[in-house]
Every structure is written in C-alpha cells, then in structure tokens.
Amino acid sequence: RSAATGSAAGTPASVKRNETSTTPVASTSESVCRASARRIGLRSRLAARPGLEAIEPAPRRRVVALSWGDPPYGVHGAACDAIELAGGLMAFLGCGPIVGRALAEADPEVMLYLPCDYTLDEAEEEAQRIVRRAEAQRIAAVRRGDLWALDPALLLSSPTRAVELAEVARLVLCGISDPRARRVRGAP
C-alpha cells in the first residue's frame, strides 16, 4: 500500500484515499506491530477453519466495506484485516466517513455492507435503499449486483467474529452463498 495515496496493489493510481475521510490502519510503529499481530492471529485461526482449505482463493478484487450507509462510513481496522485475508483489496484503509466522490472514484468491484446495530434483514433493506440512489449507479459493484449485505454481528470486536467475517468475505468473493450474506440487486 502506498501511505501517500492509500491505494493497494491492483488499485488504479488515480484512486486516492480521501485524507479527511479515512484513517490509515497503522500510523505509528506501535500500531504497525498491533496490526501485524492481529493479522497473524487471524491468519492462523482462518487456516484452522474446517472446509475453507477446499475453497480456491478468489482473484483479488477491490472492496469497499461500509459500517454505515448515509453518510458512507468505512469499517474498522480489524474488519479490514479480515477482508484482506479473505482475498479483498481494501479501497480505504480504515474506519471513518467516506466523503464527496471518494466512493465513486474508488469504484470498488465488491461492496460489503455491515451496518452497526442492525439485523441481517435490516442491513439488506438499507442496502436496497442505497442501491436505489442515483449516485450509487456510478459504482461498478452496484451496477453488477456485487453489493452484499452481511450479518452486522460479524463486526463485533472478537477474534472469533473476525475469523467468521474473513470466512464470509472469502465465500462472497468466490461467489459462494452463505446464510450470513445476501446479494443486493436493484436499480432505480
């Protein structure tokens, strides 16, 4: 990743992190160590999941994961780590509001929606409202039907939930259905 642009490998150079909208996952050496330890723990827990080894890794795709839809708000660092371990390339590096045209300019291939304090049914309903907005139609993931409502309980800050989020994200990125994720389709 480039700290200056916030872009990940495979992300177009023209896509830049909006400096006022997201926070880098690690901005000091101490937080780099914490982020590395978190990833190592997630990787070993994910490797121990029965059945996941049979799923071929998906091609890495640019992902935006939102914990809130209006205004768009990115998920926290542990969730970003889980999604990246699942095979996603996060378009934004941390939690915070995604302002202006940043979401449309990131043009994610996949969007994951996990709104805080919602049920999966409520998350799906809210994602349907997002899809109906005219500005959402500028986003490739929305146009292709790659906006997914995920069970918001996966955002809870626990190692078990982080592993579950990585598992569900990997299934979604591979196009495999899971009861904790629902594809949201629709157009205005």
Side-chain angles (χ1 to χ4, degrees):
R1 290 191 192 281
S2 165
T5 65
S7 63
T11 301
S14 62
V15 176
K16 294 185 179 180
R17 178 171 51 101
N18 183 326
E19 294 298 330
T20 63
S21 69
T22 59
T23 306
V25 171
S27 58
T28 66
S29 60
E30 182 181 329
S31 59
V32 168
C33 291
R34 280 195 310 267
S36 294
R38 187 171 59 223
R39 281 178 176 257
I40 290 167
L42 270 175
R43 188 174 289 120
S44 63
R45 286 185 177 100
L46 190 58
R49 277 306 249 222
L52 263 189
E53 69 280 352
I55 300 170
E56 289 295 320
R60 295 187 65 80
R61 298 165 72 194
R62 201 169 41 264
V63 176
V64 167
L66 301 175
S67 61
W68 200 249
D70 191 15
Y73 206 87
V75 297
H76 56 76
C80 291
D81 289 346
I83 293 164
E84 286 201 330
L85 285 173
L89 291 169
M90 296 301 295
F92 298 100
L93 297 179
C95 66
I98 301 169
V99 298
R101 297 181 39 88
L103 186 56
E105 288 173 0
D107 202 23
E109 298 167 90
V110 178
M111 285 182 63
L112 306 177
Y113 188 56
L114 306 89
C116 300
D117 299 325
Y118 278 45
T119 65
L120 180 54
D121 289 337
E122 293 167 330
E124 183 179 25
E125 289 172 22
E126 179 67 19
Q128 283 291 340
R129 284 191 281 280
I130 291 169
V131 165
R132 289 188 207 104
R133 294 184 196 146
E135 64 269 17
Q137 294 304 311
R138 292 191 298 254
I139 301 168
V142 172
R143 289 190 311 270
R144 282 196 315 267
D146 269 331
L147 168 59
W148 294 79
L150 273 58
D151 183 349
L154 296 171
L155 272 183
L156 296 175
S157 295
S158 77
T160 302
R161 288 299 190 175
V163 171
E164 285 185 55
L165 175 55
E167 177 183 53
V168 172
R170 184 162 180 191
L171 293 169
V172 164
L173 291 170
C174 292
I176 299 170
S177 64
D178 185 272
R180 298 165 290 182
R182 296 183 187 157
R183 185 182 295 254
V184 177
R185 298 181 193 269

